[in-house]
Amino acid sequence: MKLDDDIHNYYEHLVLERVVQLGLNDTKSADYLADLCCLALNQVPPRYIRYEVDMAFYLPQSERQQMEMNVEYAIDKAIKFLDQAKKAPEKE
């Protein structure tokens, strides 16, 4: 059995949207961004969809705002974690 290629987690879209809003895609490396996205996505519940249009028409505005707030918090937390890890001295 194969899942449809169109099925994806809607939070992925929101995380990438926030990364662009913050300009991180212009200032951070691809490795940093991949780690950031993984850390942020692991903090939010998955919301699987097949078509973006489903979320646009059927998601209440209040729920969309809550999802965006969840992403903002998750990304802020992930950035702090990655920045702390970068500053921490390497143990031998």
Side-chain angles (χ1 to χ4, degrees):
M1 180 176 148
K2 178 180 179 276
L3 288 177
D4 194 310
D5 290 334
D6 294 333
I7 296 172
H8 63 280
N9 182 355
Y10 186 67
Y11 271 104
E12 292 172 7
H13 170 76
L14 295 178
V15 165
L16 293 175
E17 188 176 273
R18 184 69 179 157
V19 165
V20 171
Q21 284 175 348
L22 295 172
L24 298 173
N25 56 315
D26 296 327
T27 61
K28 300 295 185 181
S29 70
D31 283 339
Y32 181 96
L33 293 175
D35 289 343
L36 177 71
C37 289
C38 287
L39 289 169
L41 287 167
N42 281 325
Q43 295 178 65
V44 294
R47 182 76 182 258
Y48 291 101
I49 62 170
R50 187 166 179 202
Y51 301 110
E52 292 285 328
V53 71
D54 291 343
M55 294 303 276
F57 288 110
Y58 301 111
L59 183 68
Q61 185 63 25
S62 60
E63 192 173 345
R64 164 86 182 195
Q65 288 174 335
Q66 183 62 52
M67 291 172 78
E68 289 172 352
M69 287 176 24
N70 292 346
V71 167
E72 287 177 25
Y73 177 78
I75 287 190
D76 289 346
K77 190 173 174 185
I79 289 170
K80 288 177 186 169
F81 178 83
L82 290 172
D83 290 349
Q84 276 184 338
K86 184 178 178 181
K87 290 179 185 176
E90 293 184 24
K91 294 181 181 178
E92 294 180 24

